[in-house]
Structure formats: structure tokens, C-alpha cells
Amino acid sequence: MAMTRTPVRRVLDYAVLSVLAFVFALPALYLFLGSLKPSDEVLNGLSGFLPTRLSFDNYAAVLDSLNSDSTGYFWQFMGVSVLLSFVVVTGGLIVNSMAAYGLTRLKWRGRNAVFTLVLLLMLIPFESVAVPLFYMYNGQRNTLYIQALPFVANAFAIYQFHTFFKKIPPSIEEAARLDGAGPWRTFFAIIVPMSRPVFASVAILTFLIQWGSFLWPVLMVSDPSVRPLPLEMSVFQGQQPPDWGQILAFGVLLVLPVLVVFAFFQRWFVQGVASSAVKG
């Protein structure tokens, strides 16, 4: 029998959750307010939350300072990040979902051993293989494809798809086989439409990782024409003397695409989290 919560308990739960949400939102609020203030008022402790002397001058200054051949162009850096994220997310959804389907539904020798290898790969941090990859692909430095290629296949994404596909009743695929559908048609016409929540979850998580990628571009990129936005932000922040208002404005511009992607996939992402919690 499910335990019902009393009105007092419900109010306390919402109060605690509201306080926690506010605490977690404080850095984002400070980032946004600081981006609208003069640089000498940004690092003023708690007074930085006071909405005084707000303007969009910092945003205009960032765009103006990154608008020449010598400094590079802000929208070019943004375009590189968008392109890389699109390639990694799109390619990853196709490759990882197909790999997970093969590991979940298709019968072939060595399937369990391969899946165990995928699980082991989840335990290896990228930092431990970054230097070997650097020496392997040193000849392809300052290219776009080398910034995306190592991140298309992802063990954790395969595991997420595998976990979701296992919860789909096999009777659905058996009915498709009786209608003459092969594995390819079954996957793309039946499994993919039913799996929108996990596709949204993987897309958001993959985008977050790729959009904030920093270590690999540091190793592989020295040409400003193929420099992604996070790497350019580190270059921008290193300029002396630092203008913290402009740096925070750059940070807001870096975060905005993440909010757009999350808003686009939010409905399916929430459905995936809810279904995982219920079935788990």
C-alpha cells in the first residue's frame, strides 16, 4: 500500500526543494547579472547580486573584440562548436543506437563478451588516453574532423540505449517479423520511434560533453580558424588585464546554446527520466 504524504510533509518537501533549487541557481544568476555590470562591480561578493547599472555593453564589447582576422571572429568560433556538436550528436545517435540494438536483440557469438568490453570502456577516463590519441593523430591536428571523430562512438551512450532497448517487449519485434520486416526495418520503423526518450537523453548528455570539450581541443588545435568556443574563451580570459564583465558575458553566450538544446529536447528527456525511475 502506497504511503500518502500529509499536507505538512508535502509543504516541507516543496520548501526544501525550492531552497535547493535556489542555491543551485545562484551561480547562474550571478553569471547573468555580472555580465550586465561594469567590470569593477562584478567581483564584489554578495553585492554582485544587486541589479544596479545593468546594460548589454559587455556583450557588444565581446563581439567587437572578436571581429578581425588577428583575433578571430566570435561567430566563427560559435559555428565551429555548433558544427562539431551536431556531427558528434547526430553520428553518435546513429552509431551508438545501432550498436546497442545489435548487442540487445541480435543473436551472435561473442555478444556478451563485446558488451562486457563496452562496460569496461566506461571505466576508462578520457584523460588517460588523450596523450596516446594525440600521438596517433598528430598529423591531423587543426582539422575539424579530428575534433569530432574520437567522440562519435561512446560506451556510456551504448549502455543507455542497451538498457532502454531491453525494456521493449520482444513481442513487438516478433510481430514485425511475421509481417516480413527485417532487422533494419524493425529498428528504424519500430524501435527508433518508440525510443524517443532515450534518444533525447543521449542527445542532451552528448551535446553537453561535446559543447564543453576543452582538453582535446587544447591538444589538437592551434589554428584560430578551427578553434571551438570553450577554447577561445580560455584565450579570451587570459588577456591582460582581465575584464570580468566581458568574461561573464562570454560565459553567458557559451551557455545559451545549451539552454536552447535542453528546451528543444526537454519533453522527451523528462519522459525518459520518469520511465527509467518507474521501471527501475
Side-chain angles (χ1 to χ4, degrees), residues 188-259:
F188 286 106
I190 298 176
I191 301 299
V192 172
M194 294 179 60
S195 305
R196 283 181 293 183
V198 70
F199 273 86
S201 300
V202 172
I204 290 176
L205 295 177
T206 303
F207 178 81
L208 286 175
I209 295 173
Q210 178 59 34
W211 187 261
S213 178
F214 182 75
L215 176 61
W216 188 240
V218 166
L219 294 175
M220 301 301 293
V221 175
S222 58
D223 185 355
S225 64
V226 291
R227 184 182 295 164
L229 206 56
L231 181 57
E232 175 56 29
M233 184 174 180
S234 70
V235 175
F236 186 84
Q237 184 176 349
Q239 297 177 356
Q240 297 298 328
D243 189 310
W244 292 106
Q246 295 183 25
I247 292 172
L248 294 187
F250 202 126
V252 172
L253 294 173
L254 182 64
V255 170
L256 282 179
V258 178
L259 300 179

Side-chain angles (χ1 to χ4, degrees), residues 126-185:
F126 177 74
E127 290 77 8
S128 64
V129 297
V131 174
L133 285 174
F134 169 77
Y135 285 107
M136 288 175 58
Y137 298 110
N138 190 43
Q140 286 78 43
R141 295 180 72 249
N142 293 315
T143 58
L144 290 173
Y145 76 89
I146 201 57
Q147 297 185 61
L149 182 63
F151 305 102
V152 172
N154 185 280
F156 183 65
I158 294 175
Y159 174 76
Q160 286 183 294
F161 280 116
H162 180 273
T163 302
F164 190 91
F165 291 159
K166 284 186 66 176
K167 298 174 183 177
I168 297 178
S171 58
I172 296 177
E173 295 161 282
E174 293 172 359
R177 282 196 295 269
L178 291 177
D179 290 339
W184 290 100
R185 183 180 175 185

